[in-house]
Amino acid sequence: MNEEAVIQQLRDSGVDLVVSLPCDKNKLLTDMLHEEIRTIDITREEDAVGICAGTSLLGKRAVVSIQSSGLGNMLNAMMSLTDCFKLPFFVLASWRGTESEKIEAQIPFNSKIPQLLQVYGIGCSVVETADDIHLIGESMRDAFDRNVMNVVLIKPELWAGSKRLPQEYPSRARVTPGFDSRDFPEPVLTRLEAIREVMSTIGDDDLVVSNIGVPSKETYASRDRPLNFYMLGSYTQATPIGLGMSLVSDRRVVVIDGDGSLLGSSVFPVLAALRPSNLTVVCVDNGAFGSTGNQVNQAYGCVDLAAVASAFGLPDVRRAHTPEGIRSALDGGDGFRFIHVPIKAFNSDSPNIPLTAAQIRDRFMSAL
């Protein structure tokens, strides 16, 4: 199994800690890392730079396991922190945007990563087959021996046929201290079921923005319409897109965002300050990174995003987890609102959206 060989390279190189944000292609590796090496989960790749700097300053070895698109979120920190202080840094990146890529949004940035890394003087190796796995250990040891930054890009072919380890999801019902709506109910709806209820309340002139991956596919499957803007990429940007729309339009704007995206975003204080009266953010919260395989994140049994929104000062925070509750929370009235919808960690088999990014854009803008 190639995943075992990769982990053995990490062990042989004396890794103390793995900092992880999963990719759909390396989901089995992500599961196995959590079982074999101390692994911590993050929600924004840039944070991994600081974590690894801290461990390096104490003489320990931390490495990063991410999707390659996350390198775009890390570059400034890599150069202004890691390179500036000449600290070692090693990234194991599941390489999207290669020849076999099926998601259009993955191609523009990811296809040019080797050239980008070369510009910044960051070492780059490519692992395509099992015969190349030894490059992981060599590149890692080089990073720590010479205090340099190295990235290993792993092509998806290495993970062909891999599936997640069997998962058990414990109960999510709990009490959140200090939050007015303290009961966090056990989810009863899937994301598709929740999105169908949301879309049933959308008026003809309303604008809808749906989050990347499965949420957009399920929005399309629930109720496709020209005034739906389906995101194909850009992790954490669904709510900012909707916010931008609400600031320049009188139309009602509804964002269907996710817990993983909002955990990695810094948009809450901006929303709290602006409070556009025509914006509604619906957080469909499965407590997992749904589009990469439902890996549990900090929202599953710990962080309550409704309480977070309230603590940041958002003026109208509601919780709904039933069809009736969702429709009621979205019903009528002006004013900004944040609606937290706990859902099950489950993905439907909704197919990919049969539209290109340009087609989604042009159709949306023409409908306006």
mmCIF file of all heavy atoms in Angstrom, residues 213-236:
data_model
loop_
_atom_site.group_PDB
_atom_site.id
_atom_site.type_symbol
_atom_site.label_atom_id
_atom_site.label_comp_id
_atom_site.label_asym_id
_atom_site.label_seq_id
_atom_site.Cartn_x
_atom_site.Cartn_y
_atom_site.Cartn_z
ATOM 1 N N GLY A 213 -17.578 22.482 -3.917
ATOM 2 C CA GLY A 213 -17.677 21.032 -3.773
ATOM 3 C C GLY A 213 -19.107 20.539 -3.720
ATOM 4 O O GLY A 213 -19.983 20.984 -4.458
ATOM 5 N N VAL A 214 -19.352 19.610 -2.808
ATOM 6 C CA VAL A 214 -20.654 18.953 -2.718
ATOM 7 C C VAL A 214 -21.793 19.934 -2.461
ATOM 8 O O VAL A 214 -22.877 19.779 -3.038
ATOM 9 C CB VAL A 214 -20.623 17.839 -1.656
ATOM 10 C CG1 VAL A 214 -21.986 17.170 -1.547
ATOM 11 C CG2 VAL A 214 -19.559 16.795 -2.008
ATOM 12 N N PRO A 215 -21.653 20.967 -1.606
ATOM 13 C CA PRO A 215 -22.771 21.897 -1.414
ATOM 14 C C PRO A 215 -23.280 22.508 -2.717
ATOM 15 O O PRO A 215 -24.495 22.649 -2.905
ATOM 16 C CB PRO A 215 -22.194 22.960 -0.481
ATOM 17 C CG PRO A 215 -21.171 22.220 0.322
ATOM 18 C CD PRO A 215 -20.551 21.264 -0.655
ATOM 19 N N SER A 216 -22.372 22.884 -3.628
ATOM 20 C CA SER A 216 -22.828 23.441 -4.903
ATOM 21 C C SER A 216 -23.506 22.370 -5.753
ATOM 22 O O SER A 216 -24.521 22.633 -6.412
ATOM 23 C CB SER A 216 -21.652 24.059 -5.671
ATOM 24 O OG SER A 216 -21.449 25.413 -5.290
ATOM 25 N N LYS A 217 -22.959 21.163 -5.760
ATOM 26 C CA LYS A 217 -23.604 20.087 -6.517
ATOM 27 C C LYS A 217 -25.004 19.816 -5.995
ATOM 28 O O LYS A 217 -25.946 19.586 -6.770
ATOM 29 C CB LYS A 217 -22.755 18.815 -6.458
ATOM 30 C CG LYS A 217 -21.426 18.927 -7.190
ATOM 31 C CD LYS A 217 -20.773 17.578 -7.424
ATOM 32 C CE LYS A 217 -20.304 16.932 -6.162
ATOM 33 N NZ LYS A 217 -19.572 15.659 -6.428
ATOM 34 N N GLU A 218 -25.170 19.853 -4.670
ATOM 35 C CA GLU A 218 -26.480 19.573 -4.092
ATOM 36 C C GLU A 218 -27.438 20.754 -4.266
ATOM 37 O O GLU A 218 -28.659 20.554 -4.357
ATOM 38 C CB GLU A 218 -26.322 19.180 -2.629
ATOM 39 C CG GLU A 218 -25.600 17.851 -2.472
ATOM 40 C CD GLU A 218 -25.434 17.393 -1.043
ATOM 41 O OE1 GLU A 218 -25.566 18.238 -0.119
ATOM 42 O OE2 GLU A 218 -25.161 16.202 -0.831
ATOM 43 N N THR A 219 -26.909 21.968 -4.318
ATOM 44 C CA THR A 219 -27.760 23.116 -4.627
ATOM 45 C C THR A 219 -28.271 23.013 -6.061
ATOM 46 O O THR A 219 -29.450 23.256 -6.341
ATOM 47 C CB THR A 219 -26.991 24.432 -4.421
ATOM 48 O OG1 THR A 219 -26.535 24.510 -3.071
ATOM 49 C CG2 THR A 219 -27.869 25.636 -4.719
ATOM 50 N N TYR A 220 -27.383 22.657 -6.963
ATOM 51 C CA TYR A 220 -27.789 22.465 -8.364
ATOM 52 C C TYR A 220 -28.846 21.370 -8.467
ATOM 53 O O TYR A 220 -29.851 21.525 -9.163
ATOM 54 C CB TYR A 220 -26.569 22.098 -9.214
ATOM 55 C CG TYR A 220 -26.884 21.906 -10.679
ATOM 56 C CD1 TYR A 220 -26.819 22.977 -11.565
ATOM 57 C CD2 TYR A 220 -27.246 20.656 -11.182
ATOM 58 C CE1 TYR A 220 -27.108 22.814 -12.916
ATOM 59 C CE2 TYR A 220 -27.546 20.478 -12.527
ATOM 60 C CZ TYR A 220 -27.480 21.558 -13.386
ATOM 61 O OH TYR A 220 -27.785 21.386 -14.722
ATOM 62 N N ALA A 221 -28.646 20.272 -7.743
ATOM 63 C CA ALA A 221 -29.594 19.161 -7.790
ATOM 64 C C ALA A 221 -30.924 19.536 -7.141
ATOM 65 O O ALA A 221 -31.984 19.031 -7.546
ATOM 66 C CB ALA A 221 -29.004 17.938 -7.087
ATOM 67 N N SER A 222 -30.893 20.429 -6.165
ATOM 68 C CA SER A 222 -32.113 20.809 -5.462
ATOM 69 C C SER A 222 -32.993 21.730 -6.301
ATOM 70 O O SER A 222 -34.204 21.518 -6.431
ATOM 71 C CB SER A 222 -31.771 21.520 -4.142
ATOM 72 O OG SER A 222 -31.106 20.650 -3.263
ATOM 73 N N ARG A 223 -32.356 22.765 -6.866
ATOM 74 C CA ARG A 223 -33.137 23.726 -7.649
ATOM 75 C C ARG A 223 -32.183 24.602 -8.443
ATOM 76 O O ARG A 223 -31.740 25.641 -7.978
ATOM 77 C CB ARG A 223 -34.022 24.575 -6.734
ATOM 78 C CG ARG A 223 -34.926 25.546 -7.474
ATOM 79 C CD ARG A 223 -35.693 26.420 -6.486
ATOM 80 N NE ARG A 223 -36.346 27.526 -7.172
ATOM 81 C CZ ARG A 223 -36.848 28.595 -6.556
ATOM 82 N NH1 ARG A 223 -36.767 28.685 -5.230
ATOM 83 N NH2 ARG A 223 -37.422 29.566 -7.229
ATOM 84 N N ASP A 224 -31.888 24.178 -9.633
ATOM 85 C CA ASP A 224 -31.014 24.983 -10.487
ATOM 86 C C ASP A 224 -31.792 26.194 -11.010
ATOM 87 O O ASP A 224 -32.960 26.091 -11.374
ATOM 88 C CB ASP A 224 -30.504 24.147 -11.660
ATOM 89 C CG ASP A 224 -29.633 24.943 -12.596
ATOM 90 O OD1 ASP A 224 -28.800 25.720 -12.096
ATOM 91 O OD2 ASP A 224 -29.800 24.813 -13.839
ATOM 92 N N ARG A 225 -31.115 27.321 -11.029
ATOM 93 C CA ARG A 225 -31.708 28.555 -11.552
ATOM 94 C C ARG A 225 -30.563 29.480 -11.943
ATOM 95 O O ARG A 225 -29.459 29.418 -11.369
ATOM 96 C CB ARG A 225 -32.633 29.224 -10.515
ATOM 97 C CG ARG A 225 -32.006 29.381 -9.159
ATOM 98 C CD ARG A 225 -33.010 29.669 -8.056
ATOM 99 N NE ARG A 225 -33.582 31.007 -8.132
ATOM 100 C CZ ARG A 225 -32.971 32.112 -7.685
ATOM 101 N NH1 ARG A 225 -31.752 32.032 -7.131
ATOM 102 N NH2 ARG A 225 -33.562 33.277 -7.773
ATOM 103 N N PRO A 226 -30.781 30.364 -12.926
ATOM 104 C CA PRO A 226 -29.690 31.218 -13.394
ATOM 105 C C PRO A 226 -29.102 32.126 -12.322
ATOM 106 O O PRO A 226 -27.924 32.480 -12.395
ATOM 107 C CB PRO A 226 -30.351 32.036 -14.511
ATOM 108 C CG PRO A 226 -31.446 31.168 -15.014
ATOM 109 C CD PRO A 226 -31.979 30.465 -13.793
ATOM 110 N N LEU A 227 -29.897 32.506 -11.312
ATOM 111 C CA LEU A 227 -29.399 33.404 -10.280
ATOM 112 C C LEU A 227 -28.724 32.663 -9.127
ATOM 113 O O LEU A 227 -28.512 33.231 -8.065
ATOM 114 C CB LEU A 227 -30.533 34.289 -9.747
ATOM 115 C CG LEU A 227 -31.015 35.363 -10.727
ATOM 116 C CD1 LEU A 227 -32.203 36.122 -10.161
ATOM 117 C CD2 LEU A 227 -29.891 36.323 -11.083
ATOM 118 N N ASN A 228 -28.380 31.406 -9.350
ATOM 119 C CA ASN A 228 -27.506 30.667 -8.431
ATOM 120 C C ASN A 228 -26.068 30.832 -8.905
ATOM 121 O O ASN A 228 -25.761 30.536 -10.072
ATOM 122 C CB ASN A 228 -27.836 29.182 -8.410
ATOM 123 C CG ASN A 228 -29.184 28.869 -7.788
ATOM 124 O OD1 ASN A 228 -29.861 29.754 -7.277
ATOM 125 N ND2 ASN A 228 -29.565 27.607 -7.848
ATOM 126 N N PHE A 229 -25.178 31.275 -8.012
ATOM 127 C CA PHE A 229 -23.760 31.317 -8.347
ATOM 128 C C PHE A 229 -23.088 30.134 -7.665
ATOM 129 O O PHE A 229 -22.946 30.103 -6.445
ATOM 130 C CB PHE A 229 -23.102 32.624 -7.899
ATOM 131 C CG PHE A 229 -21.664 32.734 -8.330
ATOM 132 C CD1 PHE A 229 -21.344 33.106 -9.627
ATOM 133 C CD2 PHE A 229 -20.629 32.439 -7.458
ATOM 134 C CE1 PHE A 229 -20.027 33.186 -10.043
ATOM 135 C CE2 PHE A 229 -19.310 32.513 -7.860
ATOM 136 C CZ PHE A 229 -19.009 32.892 -9.160
ATOM 137 N N TYR A 230 -22.692 29.142 -8.473
ATOM 138 C CA TYR A 230 -22.072 27.929 -7.954
ATOM 139 C C TYR A 230 -20.561 28.116 -7.891
ATOM 140 O O TYR A 230 -19.916 28.376 -8.905
ATOM 141 C CB TYR A 230 -22.396 26.734 -8.853
ATOM 142 C CG TYR A 230 -23.869 26.481 -9.053
ATOM 143 C CD1 TYR A 230 -24.467 26.691 -10.301
ATOM 144 C CD2 TYR A 230 -24.672 26.040 -8.004
ATOM 145 C CE1 TYR A 230 -25.810 26.448 -10.499
ATOM 146 C CE2 TYR A 230 -26.022 25.798 -8.190
ATOM 147 C CZ TYR A 230 -26.591 26.006 -9.434
ATOM 148 O OH TYR A 230 -27.938 25.784 -9.630
ATOM 149 N N MET A 231 -19.984 27.958 -6.720
ATOM 150 C CA MET A 231 -18.538 28.040 -6.586
ATOM 151 C C MET A 231 -17.891 26.719 -6.978
ATOM 152 O O MET A 231 -18.361 25.655 -6.584
ATOM 153 C CB MET A 231 -18.144 28.391 -5.154
ATOM 154 C CG MET A 231 -18.501 29.809 -4.750
ATOM 155 S SD MET A 231 -17.982 30.134 -3.062
ATOM 156 C CE MET A 231 -16.199 29.905 -3.202
ATOM 157 N N LEU A 232 -16.817 26.794 -7.740
ATOM 158 C CA LEU A 232 -16.072 25.605 -8.145
ATOM 159 C C LEU A 232 -14.746 25.499 -7.413
ATOM 160 O O LEU A 232 -14.079 24.475 -7.472
ATOM 161 C CB LEU A 232 -15.836 25.626 -9.658
ATOM 162 C CG LEU A 232 -17.089 25.701 -10.536
ATOM 163 C CD1 LEU A 232 -16.691 25.707 -12.005
ATOM 164 C CD2 LEU A 232 -18.039 24.554 -10.237
ATOM 165 N N GLY A 233 -14.335 26.547 -6.747
ATOM 166 C CA GLY A 233 -13.075 26.558 -6.007
ATOM 167 C C GLY A 233 -13.090 27.700 -5.001
ATOM 168 O O GLY A 233 -14.137 28.245 -4.672
ATOM 169 N N SER A 234 -11.910 28.077 -4.514
ATOM 170 C CA SER A 234 -11.756 29.226 -3.602
ATOM 171 C C SER A 234 -12.351 28.958 -2.228
ATOM 172 O O SER A 234 -13.331 29.580 -1.798
ATOM 173 C CB SER A 234 -12.375 30.495 -4.207
ATOM 174 O OG SER A 234 -11.812 30.789 -5.460
ATOM 175 N N TYR A 235 -11.725 28.062 -1.519
ATOM 176 C CA TYR A 235 -12.065 27.715 -0.139
ATOM 177 C C TYR A 235 -12.180 28.964 0.723
ATOM 178 O O TYR A 235 -11.320 29.839 0.673
ATOM 179 C CB TYR A 235 -10.972 26.781 0.386
ATOM 180 C CG TYR A 235 -10.969 26.432 1.844
ATOM 181 C CD1 TYR A 235 -12.074 25.862 2.447
ATOM 182 C CD2 TYR A 235 -9.819 26.616 2.608
ATOM 183 C CE1 TYR A 235 -12.049 25.506 3.794
ATOM 184 C CE2 TYR A 235 -9.773 26.259 3.949
ATOM 185 C CZ TYR A 235 -10.899 25.708 4.538
ATOM 186 O OH TYR A 235 -10.871 25.353 5.861
ATOM 187 N N THR A 236 -13.251 29.082 1.487
ATOM 188 C CA THR A 236 -13.591 30.147 2.449
ATOM 189 C C THR A 236 -14.227 31.384 1.809
ATOM 190 O O THR A 236 -14.528 32.342 2.519
ATOM 191 C CB THR A 236 -12.383 30.634 3.301
ATOM 192 O OG1 THR A 236 -11.546 31.491 2.523
ATOM 193 C CG2 THR A 236 -11.593 29.468 3.879
#
